[in-house]
Amino acid sequence: MYKIVSMGLVTVIGSVLTLSAGEDTVHCEVLDDGVEKIQCTFVTPRKDRDREVVFHWHSDEFPQDDREHTIMLPALNGSVYDYRYLWGRAEGMWTVTATLTEEDGSEREASRRFSLQSGKLAEAAH
């Protein structure tokens, strides 16, 4: 229970800080809900219409492990996430980029770069 509450609090605080700055961000972490996975959350200011977010996962050393996944960000929501199972994931440097498409067709991107070693994430310099 404590783990869930603390992660929720971190997400809420991160969302508030991000929205006050008005910038899009991506945050990644390892979660264990019975099966370990890497979850990356894209946070952006809320709008009153649906928008499309494309998550692109890229491994520097093993591009065959790359993936692109499109997710709908529902109206009035300010965040959406994508995840990959940790088991079988290539170690080394990863970049996760979330591309948001607005109603007018314009796009914005936010990225997170991290190192995956022994099932742990370490932030890389941007």
Side-chain angles (χ1 to χ4, degrees), residues 23-61:
E23 294 181 17
D24 300 330
T25 62
V26 174
H27 171 74
C28 300
E29 60 189 331
V30 174
L31 300 178
D32 187 357
D33 59 359
V35 177
E36 288 184 320
K37 54 188 154 194
I38 304 166
Q39 178 176 301
C40 292
T41 304
F42 173 70
V43 180
T44 187
R46 297 170 191 259
K47 299 269 178 118
D48 62 354
R49 61 190 166 280
D50 293 346
R51 295 175 286 168
E52 186 177 272
V53 177
V54 178
F55 281 88
H56 179 78
W57 297 71
H58 172 70
S59 166
D60 287 359
E61 290 89 11

Side-chain angles (χ1 to χ4, degrees), residues 4-105:
I4 294 171
V5 171
S6 64
M7 283 188 287
L9 182 58
V10 168
T11 301
V12 169
I13 291 171
S15 297
V16 169
L17 292 175
T18 299
L19 292 177
S20 65
E23 294 181 17
D24 300 330
T25 62
V26 174
H27 171 74
C28 300
E29 60 189 331
V30 174
L31 300 178
D32 187 357
D33 59 359
V35 177
E36 288 184 320
K37 54 188 154 194
I38 304 166
Q39 178 176 301
C40 292
T41 304
F42 173 70
V43 180
T44 187
R46 297 170 191 259
K47 299 269 178 118
D48 62 354
R49 61 190 166 280
D50 293 346
R51 295 175 286 168
E52 186 177 272
V53 177
V54 178
F55 281 88
H56 179 78
W57 297 71
H58 172 70
S59 166
D60 287 359
E61 290 89 11
F62 298 95
Q64 65 271 22
D65 206 14
D66 289 6
R67 180 180 83 168
E68 216 173 77
H69 187 205
T70 302
I71 300 174
M72 187 60 63
L73 176 62
L76 303 178
N77 282 273
S79 66
V80 65
Y81 67 88
D82 191 18
Y83 67 90
R84 306 278 312 262
Y85 291 108
L86 189 58
W87 184 84
R89 208 56 46 227
E91 291 198 344
M93 294 304 298
W94 280 85
T95 304
V96 176
T97 302
T99 304
L100 172 75
T101 303
E102 293 287 3
E103 187 176 70
D104 65 2

